């Protein structure tokens, strides 16, 4: 596979003399396989220059566009992506879905009369929208695996495999748990979702990863949905990735600052039990991934498919277990825009009764002053003789600063996820939505 960076900047385009080497355009990466399959990941302002390059030979400008999420820095190039305006072009457009025509509505919204002179209905190319959840699909000759990231909007990372090589795109992601200061580089993360993230990156030839912050900066920016570079290095070491591209550069970071950050990342990587080759993604640069004999791709079963079918799914309901009415109302307010049925229980006994009666899609349990209570509840629920009850996802949330062993104990007891407060309502919403989609309820 052949990879080209067309936009590497995060949050907002930042052209100017300070960003000449690493680039000022926002997220856009092109991946091409030997068989001619072209995948474009994200459509930030970098897509404008890519469109220009593609139009040099419009006969071969078809492709697949994978959108990680619909924040502006990932879609603002869409109205300027020329191949979509050319009759005869074919584009398949994918994004995290689950709400009817959400992607189409977002893209049409940024092209509406007040914002742009050309509307979505003016596109002349042949195109189709595909709603995704976690799972796999084939984009031409490239096998794609999608997995949710941790970001204050529903966001997917993409693992692309073709020609015996693997490239990962994991931008706009925040660690699920704070990296212990004393941990050695590449140590196994404590949070189950961070462990899952490492498995998603496992053995990749190239990991393109959010590295917007440093750990020092992250202390002020927890909940903004981005990764300190130290954690990106940890993941690459733990996943035994061959190369790590630091990506989604902070708009305040000048070229010299990115150089410094990259040097620090390389030094950190050097202490790992595996040493990935670390570099900072630069706009316009290309990477040729190794060619190896490719294994025959097994067919994707319907259960493993990332493509959300139009079939109706069970309406979602979330049971909030919280004794404090004010805290319960805060949670309700945060989840209210999701248009899901919200149920309440004051304590765990009542929650168990409701869980058996109603079988909610998700149980949200806010730990009180005794962190052990959530562990006990998970154990009771998981032992329920009815598998439809025993399998209900349970998200624990706490403002207690728990030790790593306590978090590990919660997961061992059957907790599905573990959130540390304070948590921004936007991040909470996307986390809940991703769990509902994992269980295929909306
Ligand atoms: Zn972004
Ligand atoms: Zn974002």
């Amino acid at each position: 596979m052949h990879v080209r960076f067309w936009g590497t900047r995060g949050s907002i385009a930042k052209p100017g003399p300070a960003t000449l080497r690493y680039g000022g355009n926002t997220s856009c990466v092109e991946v091409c396989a030997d068989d001619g399959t072209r995948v474009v990941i994200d459509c930030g302002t970098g897509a404008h220059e890519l469109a220009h390059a593609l139009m040099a030979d419009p006969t071969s400008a078809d492709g697949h566009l994978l959108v990680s999420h619909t924040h502006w820095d990932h879609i603002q190039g869409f109205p300027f992506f020329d191949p979509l305006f050319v009759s005869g072009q074919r584009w398949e457009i994918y994004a995290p879905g689950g709400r009817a025509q959400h992607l189409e509505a977002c893209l049409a919204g940024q092209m509406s009369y007040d914002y742009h002179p050309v509307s979505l209905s003016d596109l002349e190319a042949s195109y189709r929208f595909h709603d995704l959840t976690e799972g796999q699909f084939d984009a031409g000759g490239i096998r794609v695996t999608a997995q949710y990231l941790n970001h204050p909007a529903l966001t997917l990372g993409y693992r692309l495999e073709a020609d015996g090589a693997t490239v990962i795109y994991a931008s706009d992601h925040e660690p699920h748990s704070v990296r212990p200061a004393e941990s050695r580089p590449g140590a196994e993360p404590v949070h189950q979702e961070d462990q899952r993230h490492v498995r998603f990156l496992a053995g990749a030839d190239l990991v393109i990863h959010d590295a917007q912050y440093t750990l020092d900066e992250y202390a002020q920016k927890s909940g903004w949905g981005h990764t300190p570079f130290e954690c990106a290095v940890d993941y690459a070491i733990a996943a035994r990735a061959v190369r790590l591209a630091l990506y989604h550069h902070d708009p305040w970071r000048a070229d010299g600052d990115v150089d410094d950050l990259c040097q620090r990342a390389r030094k950190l990587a050097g202490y790992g039990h595996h040493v990935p080759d670390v570099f900072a993604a630069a706009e316009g640069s290309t990477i040729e991934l190794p060619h190896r004999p490719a294994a025959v791709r097994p067919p994707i079963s319907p259960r493993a498919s990332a493509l959300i079918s139009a079939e109706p799914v069970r309406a979602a309901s979330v049971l909030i277990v919280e004794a404090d009415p004010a805290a319960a109302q805060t949670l309700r307010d945060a989840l209210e825009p999701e248009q899901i049925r919200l149920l309440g229980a004051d304590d765990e006994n009542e929650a168990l009764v409701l869980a058996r009666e109603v079988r909610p899609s998700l149980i949200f349990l806010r730990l009180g002053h005794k962190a052990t209570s959530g562990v006990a509840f998970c154990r009771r629920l998981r032992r329920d003789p009815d598998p439809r009850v025993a399998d209900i996802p349970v998200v624990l949330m706490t403002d207690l600063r728990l030790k790593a062993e306590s978090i590990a104990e919660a997961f061992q007891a059957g907790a599905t996820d573990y959130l540390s407060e304070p948590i921004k309502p936007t991040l909470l919403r996307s986390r809940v939505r991703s769990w509902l989609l994992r269980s295929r309820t909306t």
Side-chain angles (χ1 to χ4, degrees), residues 27-319:
S27 307
C28 184
V29 173
E30 180 189 21
V31 180
C32 294
D34 281 359
D35 71 348
T37 300
R38 171 178 291 108
V39 166
V40 176
I41 312 177
D42 277 337
C43 211
T45 61
H48 185 239
E49 194 61 30
L50 166 60
H52 183 71
L54 292 178
M55 293 315 290
D57 180 10
T59 58
S60 63
D62 295 351
H64 305 259
L65 171 59
L66 276 55
V67 177
S68 64
H69 64 306
T70 51
H71 281 164
W72 273 346
D73 52 323
H74 300 258
I75 61 167
Q76 274 186 326
F78 187 84
F80 301 91
F81 195 62
D82 294 345
L84 295 169
F85 293 90
V86 178
S87 171
Q89 301 287 305
R90 291 183 62 83
W91 281 83
E92 306 292 336
I93 304 168
Y94 309 82
R99 282 180 288 173
Q101 280 96 43
H102 177 67
L103 172 64
E104 202 168 342
C106 284
L107 295 175
Q110 76 160 352
M111 296 175 78
S112 68
Y113 172 79
D114 285 324
Y115 302 114
H116 197 67
V118 180
S119 74
L120 191 67
S121 60
D122 292 324
L123 301 187
E124 294 195 25
S126 158
Y127 63 93
R128 287 187 299 182
F129 290 110
H130 304 273
D131 273 0
L132 297 180
T133 181
E134 289 190 336
Q136 294 191 316
F137 65 100
D138 286 328
I142 298 180
R143 169 68 50 98
V144 182
T145 306
Q147 184 164 299
Y148 288 118
L149 301 180
N150 189 31
H151 196 59
L154 195 62
T155 303
L156 283 169
Y158 296 111
R159 181 182 175 102
L160 277 59
E161 295 170 89
D163 311 323
T166 302
V167 56
I168 312 279
Y169 182 90
S171 188
D172 295 57
H173 174 72
E174 172 163 349
H176 290 80
S177 62
V178 179
R179 177 187 195 267
E182 70 284 2
S183 67
R184 60 187 167 75
E188 170 89 340
V190 63
H191 196 290
Q192 197 164 272
E193 287 296 294
D194 287 329
Q195 293 169 9
R196 197 163 178 266
H197 186 65
V198 167
R199 289 197 296 275
F200 182 59
L201 313 183
D205 297 285
L206 172 64
V207 172
I208 301 166
H209 204 287
D210 187 331
Q212 183 156 347
Y213 302 141
T214 65
L215 269 180
D216 286 344
E217 292 164 350
Y218 180 65
Q220 305 299 320
K221 295 184 172 175
S222 169
W224 292 32
H226 297 291
T227 305
F229 79 86
E230 294 92 335
C231 297
V233 170
D234 280 342
Y235 298 148
I237 296 170
R240 305 189 79 81
V242 179
R243 304 189 76 186
L244 169 65
L246 307 175
Y247 186 72
H248 206 270
H249 306 309
D250 191 276
W252 291 115
R253 206 125 21 232
D255 285 336
D257 302 327
V258 177
D259 286 336
D260 290 347
L261 190 137
C262 190
Q263 284 304 323
R264 291 172 63 189
R266 282 181 180 147
K267 191 172 173 198
L268 194 61
Y271 295 121
H273 53 84
H274 161 82
V275 183
D277 171 24
V278 181
F279 63 101
E283 186 177 316
S285 63
T286 60
I287 293 170
E288 198 67 48
L289 296 182
H291 290 241
R292 304 186 190 94
V296 177
R297 289 188 298 191
I300 299 168
S301 70
R303 273 187 68 81
S305 174
L307 301 167
I308 296 178
S309 71
E311 290 165 26
V313 291
R314 192 161 70 95
S317 56
V318 172
L319 171 59

Side-chain angles (χ1 to χ4, degrees), residues 359-377:
R359 284 190 287 114
S361 322
L362 185 74
I363 297 175
F364 213 97
L365 194 152
R366 190 163 175 276
L367 302 183
H369 296 295
K370 283 195 304 175
T372 48
S373 60
V375 171
F377 177 78

